[in-house]
Amino acid sequence: MGVALHPQVPRRWFRHTIPLAVLALLLYLCARSLRSLSGYGPGALSCITEGSPPLQVRQQSGSLEASEREEPQCLDPQGMLGRMMGPFRASLNSKGDVELAQYLAGWRELIKFLSPFGSIFAFATSEAFTKVTALEARVQGPDAAQYKSLAAMVAWERRAGLLEQPGIAPRDPARSSGSRTTLLLHRALRWSQLCLHRVATGALGGPDAGEQCNDAYGTVLGPHHPWLVRQAVRLAFLSFPGRGRLLELACPGTREAEARAALARAAGTLEEVYNRTQGLLAERGLLQLA
Ligand SMILES: *[C@@H]1O[C@H](CO)[C@@H](O)[C@H](O)[C@H]1NC(C)=O
């Protein structure tokens, strides 16, 4: 006598499997992002959404500081946003090119800044940290002389036959060309910039930060990601911190209006870098490389 499965069984099985599979994928990607970001020491980020500490309203010291200073502290060269804006600005050289060492230094600060937002960042940017490290290895490697700037890198990789065929992913992503890695980082930068800009300028009572950053994800990165990743990212955005928490992370101890203005300036710096990189990549026909 054969084993006759009840026709309901597979369907019921699927009903339970799909949510489980999504959960497993989330945990897997979360663990991966933790590993790739583990350079930041314990507690830098957590896969478990911790209860966000309430937005600390330090009105007294905040307004005192604000009236004494022209700018909030987070824009100082040592401040949370200033540390990131400095190298990114310095990457824009006077020849209209982008200096790679400075660009990557800016990226490192951007990742540090975004890490407390949770694993969603690593998701959405498909492990920006790994890409930054891969590109740094080239900038500091045996061919360092060819990797001073974006234009120099592309010219050299093209001459040396290192550029991939457009649209064809390299077999081993770790060996992808510097130009391709830059393009992927460039898209992730656009997402970060749009997300931060929208958080900084979003209307009270309008869409919350998670929704705004999810929209930016859908515009910039979603089209380049497989379906399953897009679904996982969409779910992960549900636990994205609120605007108040984001502003507090960006400009600790600053009043909301000032924190918003500072974050908008930081997003503006990212946009300048994005615009220049976009122009350089477009002129060289590289926007389809990945
Ligand atoms: C970036 O380019 C866009 C489109 O060309 C332009 O509207 C925008 O003002 C530029 N942003 C910056 C910060 O230069």
Side-chain angles (χ1 to χ4, degrees):
M1 201 178 164
V3 183
L5 271 180
H6 194 277
Q8 288 297 312
V9 169
R11 199 175 299 162
R12 219 182 307 150
W13 188 79
F14 266 118
R15 246 203 336 256
H16 293 106
T17 311
I18 290 173
L20 275 178
V22 170
L23 189 70
L25 178 80
L26 278 169
L27 287 173
Y28 165 73
L29 289 173
C30 197
R32 266 170 59 126
S33 66
L34 258 183
R35 224 183 312 135
S36 64
L37 288 163
S38 56
Y40 290 113
L45 86 166
S46 170
C47 281
I48 300 150
T49 332
E50 293 150 17
S52 338
L55 173 59
Q56 288 170 24
V57 190
R58 289 172 227 158
Q59 252 168 353
Q60 282 184 335
S61 65
S63 54
L64 200 68
E65 264 171 44
S67 56
E68 279 170 3
R69 314 171 62 86
E70 294 210 327
E71 284 184 346
Q73 214 162 5
C74 57
L75 289 174
D76 285 354
Q78 290 313 312
M80 186 47 105
L81 298 175
R83 278 205 308 264
M84 168 181 95
M85 292 157 75
F88 269 131
R89 276 215 200 94
S91 76
L92 303 172
N93 74 14
S94 56
K95 292 174 232 139
D97 204 347
V98 174
E99 303 278 338
L100 288 178
Q102 298 289 349
Y103 179 80
L104 291 170
W107 251 109
R108 285 220 168 244
E109 294 299 331
L110 178 61
I111 292 173
K112 269 189 224 168
F113 168 52
L114 294 177
S115 291
F117 296 11
S119 55
I120 179 58
F121 171 70
F123 259 156
T125 59
S126 299
E127 301 173 40
F129 183 79
T130 319
K131 295 187 172 67
V132 168
T133 308
L135 200 53
E136 269 172 357
R138 293 185 185 271
V139 169
Q140 294 158 9
D143 295 317
Q146 318 293 345
Y147 285 89
K148 294 244 177 290
S149 74
L150 193 131
M153 167 181 74
V154 173
W156 186 75
E157 291 195 330
R158 182 161 274 154
R159 275 202 311 279
L162 294 172
L163 292 184
E164 291 84 0
Q165 293 299 311
I168 299 176
R171 267 204 207 115
D172 177 5
R175 301 181 61 85
S176 91
S177 67
S179 306
R180 185 172 188 279
T181 307
T182 305
L183 174 62
L184 297 174
L185 277 176
H186 169 65
R187 284 189 195 133
L189 187 81
R190 177 61 156 179
W191 172 71
S192 313
Q193 175 244 318
L194 287 177
C195 168
L196 297 181
H197 175 78
R198 288 176 189 180
V199 169
T201 57
L204 278 178
D208 66 21
E211 204 175 326
Q212 291 183 310
C213 292
N214 186 25
D215 280 352
Y217 170 82
T219 313
V220 180
L221 292 171
H224 302 283
H225 287 171
W227 182 86
L228 205 55
V229 172
R230 289 203 307 273
Q231 303 316 307
V233 167
R234 203 166 52 81
L235 285 180
F237 268 117
L238 296 177
S239 62
F240 203 68
R243 194 186 315 279
R245 168 93 176 114
L246 291 177
L247 292 172
E248 172 69 15
L249 281 169
C251 282
T254 305
R255 280 177 308 184
E256 176 172 347
E258 278 141 17
R260 277 179 179 254
L263 192 60
R265 275 181 55 185
T269 299
L270 296 185
E271 190 179 2
E272 279 175 48
V273 175
Y274 172 84
N275 278 5
R276 178 159 318 173
T277 313
Q278 174 77 2
L280 289 166
L281 291 172
E283 278 165 23
R284 287 157 182 78
L286 290 177
L287 292 175
Q288 308 303 325
L289 198 57

